[in-house]
Amino acid sequence: MDVLDDLIRGVRAHGSLFGSATLCPPWALHFADGAPLTVCTLRDGAGWIVPEEAPPVPLRARETVVVRGPGAFTFVDEVGTRARPVVVGERCAAPERGGTRHRRGWYDAGAAVGDGGTTLLVGAHPLRGGTGRRLLEALPPVLRVPAEEGDAGLLDHIAAALRVDAPGQQVVLDRLLDWMLVCTLRAWFDRPGGAPPAWWSAQRDPVVGAALRLLHTEPAAPWTVGTLARRAGVSRTTLAKRFTELVGEPPLTYLTRWRMALAADLLVERESATLADIARSVGYADPFGFSAAFKRVRGTSPSAFRRSATGAGAAEPAARR
């Protein structure tokens, strides 16, 4: 298990809004639902992604951007366009207004591909749990992958799938969205001259990468720096130094934060489990030590977090960074 494997599990699509529109200028589509992650890609034409709190980003044919929520954003033909924004989201109704064609998404066949219009494909990606939020912390408000670095075959496959209405279609679209998100993130992390998160680059180090895989494969094991170093095949001093230099924090500090992210997910997913059960699941012998660690990292007690996260209309408290 590597770091991205674990983090991406927290953003697995389920019932995602996934659709397309072919547009002729001037246009302005306002995506108002504030999804945690939204993937936008163009088959044809060009436009601009305009986030609420970040500079506009150009989007050209065969390019892909990922927009980090919860802020809304707008897709326009030109920055400053005079077009009146059409609101797009899960509750949009009329297809002629860019709304939902059916529960899986929205599609506008009013203009044929290649007639000078712009064909936009969009997938709104829900987010669940503390592990997924660790991924969000590593992303900018908008990340862009050029056409030559993307997966052209996947883009064509998604465009074709959106025109199908068959049993199991929601699952097909969800998994395609997962595939597109992972491919886009990997391309962006590996781009020349980029600034990927520390854990991404550290995975390629033979020592630190081995340690990270151990921590993610066996998060509840009774790790010490010494036992982790032995499993990685180096001295305690070497591991501690290299891990801190490449990841930005000591091994056991990283482990504690990861355990608390896992615990946050378990507190919501296993509502009948006791704090002692959750504590053992993430490597703590008793609930008291676990509760102290959780409050130190998350800024609230496990019990208060569970009440807030599972309560009607309640939002998850922001993780302490």
Side-chain angles (χ1 to χ4, degrees):
M1 182 71 71
D2 64 38
V3 182
L4 186 60
D5 285 339
D6 258 354
L7 294 180
I8 206 69
R9 286 189 304 154
V11 290
R12 185 177 177 85
H14 178 69
S16 56
L17 178 69
F18 205 159
S20 66
T22 301
L23 309 160
C24 291
W27 78 80
L29 297 179
H30 183 63
F31 294 84
D33 282 354
L37 287 174
T38 305
V39 181
C40 305
T41 188
L42 285 183
R43 288 195 65 197
D44 311 87
W48 291 80
I49 298 292
V50 184
E52 284 186 338
E53 299 180 358
V57 176
L59 186 60
R60 304 293 180 254
R62 318 297 288 186
E63 292 183 342
T64 301
V65 300
V66 176
V67 184
R68 188 190 71 197
F73 67 95
T74 305
F75 179 64
V76 299
D77 60 323
E78 294 288 349
V79 177
T81 183
R82 291 175 294 176
R84 183 178 179 180
V86 173
V87 177
V88 177
E90 293 181 4
R91 294 176 176 81
C92 292
E96 64 270 17
R97 291 181 54 82
T100 56
R101 181 186 181 207
H102 43 62
R103 69 184 176 86
R104 289 183 292 277
W106 47 278
Y107 175 70
D108 176 14
V113 174
D115 68 354
T118 294
T119 307
L120 174 70
L121 306 179
V122 176
H125 211 133
L127 173 69
R128 296 172 179 82
T131 54
R133 293 185 185 278
R134 288 287 295 273
L135 177 62
L136 288 188
E137 293 173 3
L139 304 180
V142 181
L143 63 90
R144 173 174 165 269
V145 174
E148 61 272 17
E149 299 175 17
D151 189 327
L154 174 58
L155 176 57
D156 292 336
H157 193 63
I158 290 172
L162 284 168
R163 289 170 170 79
V164 174
D165 190 6
Q169 184 69 355
Q170 182 67 64
V171 175
V172 170
L173 294 176
D174 285 343
R175 299 293 73 79
L176 286 173
L177 183 54
D178 288 338
W179 186 7
M180 172 171 275
L181 179 64
V182 172
C183 290
T184 302
L185 291 180
R186 290 196 305 190
W188 186 76
F189 288 153
D190 280 335
R191 71 200 189 285
W199 50 260
W200 177 262
S201 302
Q203 290 182 113
R204 292 175 174 164
D205 181 84
V207 173
V208 179
L212 282 168
R213 286 188 290 274
L214 287 168
L215 295 178
H216 281 264
T217 302
E218 305 174 50
W223 294 112
T224 65
V225 176
T227 57
L228 189 60
R230 284 194 294 273
R231 292 281 298 275
V234 295
S235 71
R236 184 181 184 279
T237 301
T238 297
L239 175 63
K241 183 175 184 295
R242 289 177 68 169
F243 196 103
T244 302
E245 288 176 347
L246 295 181
V247 180
E249 59 188 347
L252 298 189
T253 301
Y254 178 94
L255 175 61
T256 298
R257 294 207 312 127
W258 178 240
R259 284 173 167 176
M260 296 309 105
L262 294 174
D265 290 353
L266 293 173
L267 285 165
V268 176
E269 295 167 4
R270 296 166 52 184
E271 293 186 53
S272 62
T274 66
L275 291 187
D277 294 333
I278 302 296
R280 285 191 293 270
S281 296
V282 295
Y284 286 80
D286 65 80
F288 304 106
F290 163 67
S291 295
F294 192 93
K295 187 169 185 178
R296 184 174 67 253
V297 172
R298 304 285 299 191
T300 186
S301 70
S303 297
F305 173 85
R306 173 180 267 172
R307 287 193 299 270
S308 178
T310 59
E316 177 183 343
R320 178 179 295 180
R321 300 185 182 181

